[in-house]
Amino acid sequence: MKTSKLLLKSLFIVGLTGLEGCYDFSQFDNIKVEPISPKMVVPVVKSTISFNDIVEREDANTIIFTKPGDTRFFIAFRDTMDLFNAADRYSFPDFNFTKQYQLDAGEVPGVPVPAGEIWGPFKKKYTETYNSIAGAEVKLVKLSAGNINMVITNNFQNSISAMIRFPSIRDQLGDTLAFAMNTTLPGQTYINNQDIKDYSLDLTSGSLYNTLTVEVELTIHSLGNPITVSDDANIQVSLTGLDFDYLQGKLNETFPLNDINLTLDAFSSSIDADFFLSEPKLTMTFENLFGIPLAFSTVNFDATNTNTSQQVSLVNEGVPPTGSLLLAQPNSIKYLTSLTQQQPEVDSKYVDHNNSNLEDFLAIAPNEILISPTVTVGDATTNHDYFVRKTSTLRMINEIEFPLAGWVDNLQISDTVEVELPDLEEDLKLVNDDALKIRLKFKFINSIPFNIYIQGYFLDDANTLLTQLYDEASELMLVKSSEVNLTTGKTSAPTTNWAFIDINKSKYDQMKNATKLVIQARMQTGGNTHQNVVVESTNTLETMFSVELEGNVDLNN
């Protein structure tokens, strides 16, 4: 609830006329002036506002606008939100694996190799599965950071040397990462590491994906000791600190997104409603920086008026045409098709009064909308060239738009302001007697097709009701609707309406003790009952407000 502070400043009355003759001014304190009984009218407000000024408030998500060639006002609620991003969703954790290099039986010599001679080289290929993303078949990862560390321990009875190649790890020129291990004695360890920033991980091996490949070409340098199938070189490989610029492959997953909570600020103070909005439209515009098919679904799409506890769920009706937002069904979203494309693909889905119950959805004047969405990444094809950049995001701009055309039978709005009323005796020098009268005078010249009824309730700090703005049980019509053309629903002529609120001293004292004023307004369209009216950009409300005071003023205080 928006809270503001209302401070009625003191009125100062100064009069000094008709002073003649001589007087000993040392006796000035002895001068007495009889109380006077003036009647004063103090202008307070004179302004002209449009419907835009009434509804579109600062820091609200409500926008009032016109369209070319259309004199009607349109109202829109717009919210922009990031649904999900690759940086938070996808990562490449550290990866460690160990391989044992051993000779096959056919590679073992029948007799010991004389000392000083070599045996081999013998080349072996190893693969290891790297499931970095659950359910994905990753083909390629372009790294933005990372390090590879390799440790080889010689458990042969003779010295060994080796060339270790990683066909899965390639530099910017496409060359394979390779390590040359010099001759290493039995029991010794070879250690090497390499920064692989800007390298690529090619995780394919034949028809397999998520697969890291290592090739080891090992030569035995004989010390005269036996060579057996139980001899081995223990190879430990660690990939750490991995981060990516982009990945390519086939991703398949469906997961829930965070709930989307939308607020409709123009309805935020509505405590009751019975109205019909003509031609409403809700559009979801997606900005997609993923290079892979995405589908957006809604599990729940509920509107709530928290002031009345009314709730309506949005559902499709009839056969939705192409471009419709399918509720509780997947909605395919356009995606990037080139890694060089920097601008997002934009796709829009909509519901309106033709393909959904949107009119009923908005008829409760909802101030909150809850959407529980899911997103599906990937499709049923075998395409492994889809890509996801680290900077990929899916953003949604949600807009509910409708022309200000329709009818309102009972739209009640409540707001609270702080009040601090002046003391009539101390601040205004008014005598506390029955002669004191206060009248609030309003004059409205209105070309907006709305009647507006007002009541005010004065509360103390404990929210106890002290008094109300006027004593009648029902509210007061302050603003009378303009005259309405029964055919077009547009204003045909403005109306002028006077309204008066009388306040006596006893009521004023109750008001003065209040710290809060709850203003309750009810809006009702003009014309015939449930007639569609149109609010145009040329419609305005001119307001003149003054305070009339009558009573005794004691100039000696």
Side-chain angles (χ1 to χ4, degrees):
M1 182 176 292
K2 184 177 180 181
T3 303
S4 55
K5 187 167 184 177
L6 175 66
L7 178 62
L8 299 181
K9 296 183 178 180
S10 302
L11 301 176
F12 294 93
I13 304 171
V14 180
L16 188 61
T17 58
L19 295 179
E20 297 181 0
C22 298
Y23 188 79
D24 181 1
F25 286 96
S26 65
Q27 301 300 316
F28 187 80
D29 290 340
N30 295 327
I31 296 178
K32 300 294 182 182
V33 180
E34 292 300 320
I36 61 175
S37 301
K39 185 175 184 179
M40 298 164 286
V41 178
V42 181
V44 177
V45 173
K46 182 176 182 181
S47 68
T48 300
I49 60 174
S50 68
F51 194 85
N52 177 52
D53 301 315
I54 297 173
V55 176
E56 190 178 48
R57 298 185 292 181
E58 185 179 359
D59 297 328
N61 69 339
T62 308
I63 302 170
I64 307 294
F65 61 98
T66 57
K67 295 183 177 181
D70 196 332
T71 61
R72 296 178 299 175
F73 261 134
F74 285 76
I75 185 170
F77 306 95
R78 292 177 184 167
D79 289 278
T80 300
M81 61 213 68
D82 292 323
L83 297 181
F84 88 104
N85 62 78
D88 291 336
R89 184 69 188 175
Y90 304 118
S91 62
F92 289 88
D94 292 350
F95 181 42
N96 305 290
F97 64 92
T98 300
K99 296 297 180 181
Q100 300 295 123
Y101 181 101
Q102 291 177 309
L103 295 179
D104 297 331
E107 298 170 334
V108 175
V111 296
V113 176
E117 295 186 11
I118 63 172
W119 185 252
F122 297 98
K123 185 176 181 180
K124 297 186 181 297
K125 178 179 177 181
Y126 302 97
T127 60
E128 187 74 16
T129 300
Y130 180 31
N131 288 320
S132 55
I133 300 173
E137 295 180 351
V138 179
K139 173 183 177 181
L140 179 74
V141 181
K142 181 65 168 64
L143 296 173
S144 61
N147 189 78
I148 183 170
N149 187 72
M150 186 172 60
V151 178
I152 300 178
T153 301
N154 180 11
N155 295 318
F156 280 81
Q157 301 173 63
N158 298 276
S159 297
I160 60 173
S161 64
M163 178 63 70
I164 303 95
R165 297 180 180 88
F166 291 85
S168 295
I169 305 177
R170 299 179 180 273
D171 64 17
Q172 297 181 67
L173 298 177
D175 295 331
T176 297
L177 175 66
F179 295 97
M181 184 182 80
N182 295 326
T183 303
T184 303
L185 293 171
Q188 289 188 338
T189 297
Y190 166 82
I191 299 175
N192 207 341
N193 62 76
Q194 174 70 43
D195 185 348
I196 53 175
K197 176 184 178 183
D198 298 326
Y199 280 64
S200 296
L201 293 182
D202 181 352
L203 298 178
T204 59
S205 178
S207 61
L208 299 177
Y209 298 90
N210 304 327
T211 303
L212 192 73
T213 302
V214 183
E215 294 176 350
V216 180
E217 187 176 348
L218 186 141
T219 300
I220 299 174
H221 300 264
S222 177
L223 298 175
N225 298 320
I227 300 174
T228 69
V229 293
S230 61
D231 294 339
D232 72 85
N234 181 275
I235 304 170
Q236 300 177 39
V237 178
S238 298
L239 297 175
T240 60
L242 300 179
D243 205 350
F244 70 103
D245 282 330
Y246 64 86
L247 66 91
Q248 286 182 287
K250 179 177 172 59
L251 280 66
N252 285 103
E253 60 173 339
T254 298
F255 57 91
L257 301 174
N258 291 332
D259 284 348
I260 300 171
N261 293 282
L262 305 177
T263 58
L264 277 61
D265 292 325
F267 294 151
S268 61
S269 299
S270 172
I271 61 174
D272 199 0
D274 181 15
F275 64 90
F276 169 79
L277 297 173
S278 176
E279 303 175 35
K281 185 176 183 179
L282 183 152
T283 303
M284 287 185 172
T285 300
F286 298 93
E287 295 180 351
N288 185 14
L289 280 168
F290 283 83
I292 189 169
L294 300 179
F296 177 86
S297 302
T298 58
V299 179
N300 298 304
F301 205 128
D302 301 322
T304 303
N305 184 321
T306 59
N307 299 303
T308 64
S309 299
Q310 290 176 285
Q311 186 176 85
V312 175
S313 296
L314 188 64
V315 296
N316 289 123
E317 293 180 345
V319 180
T322 301
S324 297
L325 176 66
L326 303 179
L327 300 162
Q329 299 181 54
N331 294 268
S332 296
I333 301 170
K334 294 178 182 178
Y335 58 92
L336 305 184
T337 57
S338 171
L339 269 167
T340 61
Q341 184 176 345
Q342 299 301 316
Q343 296 301 314
E345 282 290 341
V346 179
D347 200 0
S348 294
K349 310 293 180 181
Y350 76 93
V351 288
D352 60 13
H353 62 291
N354 292 316
N355 65 4
S356 72
N357 65 333
L358 186 60
E359 290 174 340
D360 298 332
F361 186 81
L362 295 175
I364 63 171
N367 51 11
E368 290 184 0
I369 294 177
L370 172 63
I371 306 171
S372 299
T374 65
V375 67
T376 297
V377 181
D379 59 16
T381 70
T382 59
N383 189 341
H384 288 77
D385 292 324
Y386 295 133
F387 64 89
V388 174
R389 289 193 289 244
K390 178 69 176 286
T391 56
S392 292
T393 59
L394 178 63
R395 173 175 291 185
M396 183 181 76
I397 299 95
N398 188 80
E399 177 176 287
I400 300 175
E401 172 190 302
F402 48 85
L404 287 174
W407 55 263
V408 173
D409 194 40
N410 184 40
L411 175 60
Q412 295 189 43
I413 297 174
S414 180
D415 203 0
T416 300
V417 297
E418 297 178 4
V419 291
E420 183 181 343
L421 300 178
D423 187 291
L424 298 182
E425 298 172 73
E426 294 295 327
D427 299 328
L428 303 182
K429 308 304 180 184
L430 290 170
V431 177
N432 183 7
D433 57 23
D434 293 336
L436 179 61
K437 293 184 176 63
I438 303 172
R439 166 172 279 193
L440 308 181
K441 301 175 69 173
F442 300 90
K443 180 183 179 182
F444 298 97
I445 302 174
N446 181 29
S447 63
I448 301 175
F450 278 88
N451 298 311
I452 302 177
Y453 302 80
I454 296 291
Q455 177 59 286
Y457 302 94
F458 291 82
L459 311 177
D460 60 17
D461 284 332
N463 292 322
T464 302
L465 176 64
L466 303 178
T467 187
Q468 57 194 53
L469 192 59
Y470 54 95
D471 296 330
E472 288 79 1
S474 59
E475 72 274 286
L476 173 69
M477 180 193 286
L478 280 184
V479 180
K480 185 176 181 180
S481 168
S482 61
E483 295 182 17
V484 177
N485 184 303
L486 300 183
T487 302
T488 65
K490 298 180 179 181
T491 292
S492 58
T495 59
T496 300
N497 187 56
W498 288 88
F500 306 94
I501 301 176
D502 291 317
I503 302 172
N504 58 28
K505 179 62 169 58
S506 175
K507 177 182 283 292
Y508 186 87
D509 284 343
Q510 291 175 310
M511 292 179 176
K512 182 172 66 69
N513 292 328
T515 57
K516 303 172 187 175
L517 171 60
V518 178
I519 302 173
Q520 186 169 297
R522 182 171 66 87
M523 301 178 69
Q524 178 188 64
T525 48
N528 292 333
T529 301
H530 291 181
Q531 178 194 346
N532 282 354
V533 301
V534 176
V535 179
E536 298 183 280
S537 58
T538 55
N539 296 160
T540 60
L541 174 64
E542 184 177 356
T543 303
M544 284 153 278
F545 168 42
S546 60
V547 179
E548 182 179 283
L549 298 171
E550 183 177 358
N552 296 320
V553 176
D554 187 354
L555 299 180
N556 296 308
N557 291 331

